[in-house]
Amino acid sequence: MRLIGLTGSIGMGKSTTAAMFREHGVPVYDADAAVHDLYDVGGAAVGPVGEAFPGVVQGGAVDRELLRQRVLGDPEALKRLNAIVHPLVGQDRLGFFAEAQAKGADLVVLDIPLLYETGGDARMDAVVVVSAPARMQRERVLARPGMTPDRFDAILAQQMADAEKRARAHYVVDTGQGLDHARAQVADIVKALRDAPRREVPAGAAPVEDGAKPGH
């Protein structure tokens, strides 16, 4: 079973791309969704996060906006939070792996927003980066309820630049040219990965002009 990392900066269309992998029968692990569950009522992170950041638990669940305000721009606070959440996500991910393996999956996709920033790419067999033009990215994000230009810029400051992600990726899915174009790129990537020998990244298997860039 080969591990495929799926990542991309905010507003690039990563969730939509993840759904396209599912259309090909590839199980997708959504790290953000796992964290949402951990923060929800009864979630394993509620207690320890509440102790580390008093006041962020409201109604038995972690208020993500309050927590965001506590850690944004504070590397030490973010480090404390990650020390709580990452091991819990790791446990949840092991269950996902076991289920996928039991079903005979040949590929699994790990949808991880900060894959490069956390060094998680080192554990992947290949990494797919989702990208779009900066203007389109900004328009998408600022259309979200409650989003402001300052908040968007603060989020971008915590993420690796899109150009660097693209340079380090084995494949790039360009969502700036419509869903059909992106879906065709995903189909090419899935085929290339399934045709490749185990534990070997299929360099050059999908054409650059279709947005799937060979690895480095």
Side-chain angles (χ1 to χ4, degrees):
M1 188 168 67
R2 306 186 67 213
L3 308 184
I4 313 305
L6 178 68
T7 193
S9 300
I10 183 172
M12 292 302 194
K14 187 166 54 58
S15 296
T16 300
T17 303
M20 294 175 184
F21 277 96
R22 290 190 181 97
E23 292 172 2
H24 289 274
V26 181
V28 177
Y29 182 79
D30 187 335
D32 264 357
V35 173
H36 272 281
D37 290 343
L38 290 169
Y39 286 168
D40 205 355
V41 176
V46 175
V49 170
E51 291 179 9
F53 304 95
V56 302
V57 174
Q58 302 288 321
V62 174
D63 186 309
R64 292 173 66 92
E65 178 58 24
L66 289 177
L67 182 61
R68 184 192 70 82
Q69 294 173 9
R70 294 287 291 275
V71 303
L72 193 62
D74 186 340
E76 286 303 316
L78 186 59
K79 185 176 179 180
R80 291 200 309 273
L81 178 62
N82 287 339
I84 296 169
V85 175
H86 284 177
L88 296 173
V89 173
Q91 293 174 17
D92 184 71
R93 191 162 54 234
L94 287 176
F96 164 81
F97 286 149
E99 182 178 353
Q101 196 160 29
K103 292 180 178 179
D106 56 344
L107 305 173
V108 294
V109 165
L110 304 182
D111 179 348
I112 304 176
L114 299 179
L115 181 68
Y116 282 122
E117 293 84 346
T118 59
D121 57 299
R123 298 186 293 275
M124 301 297 121
D125 292 297
V127 174
V128 178
V129 165
V130 184
S131 184
R135 175 191 53 79
M136 184 175 293
Q137 176 195 24
R138 192 171 188 87
E139 289 176 355
R140 289 172 178 173
V141 177
L142 292 181
R144 297 180 182 182
M147 184 59 67
T148 65
D150 286 347
R151 181 178 174 185
F152 173 52
D153 290 339
I155 293 171
L156 281 185
Q158 292 185 321
Q159 299 182 341
M160 181 183 291
D162 176 58
E164 185 173 353
K165 289 178 181 175
R166 291 174 64 101
R168 294 176 59 174
H170 297 101
Y171 301 98
V172 174
V173 174
D174 178 4
T175 64
Q177 301 184 53
L179 292 178
D180 288 343
H181 186 266
R183 190 170 282 112
Q185 294 172 77
V186 170
D188 286 344
I189 292 169
V190 171
K191 183 179 186 305
L193 290 167
R194 284 180 165 155
D195 288 348
R198 182 179 174 84
R199 294 284 173 183
E200 199 172 299
V201 174
V208 175
E209 59 268 26
D210 286 339
K213 184 166 64 62
H216 295 281

